[in-house]
Amino acid sequence: MNQEEQVLQVARNQIEAIIQKDFSKLNELIASKAIFTHITGEEQTRDEWLNQMKQGRMNYLANEEKKVTVQLTSSTKATVTMENLLKARIYGFQNTWPLRSVTQLEKIAGNWQITASQSKLF
């Protein structure tokens, strides 16, 4: 796999792991310092976001990828922009949200990890 394919695989694996509620995998894929910015503008650390999922406040159910681009910005940094239809129950409201997520990744100790992600509706 080339660098772009590796980066894209990490982004796709994260979505699969949130649907499967695989917190061990999410801890591998997401750097401990990562910040997530939700469609509301609220920012959460990785651990805050994972705790919301563990408590059932954010429950991801299904995903349909619509469009994706990968950009390597250096040998250790990359950006993945994805447009997905993400079915989820967030704070009691279930919907399928059309999300455009811009995810930053960094190669840390030889592995690509997510360091930030910002989602908006498209």
Side-chain angles (χ1 to χ4, degrees), residues 46-98:
R46 177 194 73 178
D47 293 341
E48 289 169 336
W49 184 52
L50 295 180
N51 283 334
Q52 292 285 305
M53 283 189 270
K54 288 175 184 175
Q55 295 169 7
R57 299 198 63 189
M58 292 186 170
N59 189 14
Y60 300 91
L61 307 168
N63 180 65
E64 180 183 344
E65 186 177 295
K66 295 304 223 178
K67 182 179 175 184
V68 64
T69 59
V70 176
Q71 180 183 14
L72 293 174
T73 54
S74 75
S75 62
T76 60
K77 294 192 179 198
T79 301
V80 176
T81 303
M82 299 180 95
E83 291 183 356
N84 295 316
L85 299 179
L86 186 63
K87 182 177 181 180
R89 178 177 291 279
I90 306 296
Y91 303 129
F93 299 98
Q94 186 167 316
N95 196 3
T96 299
W97 281 274

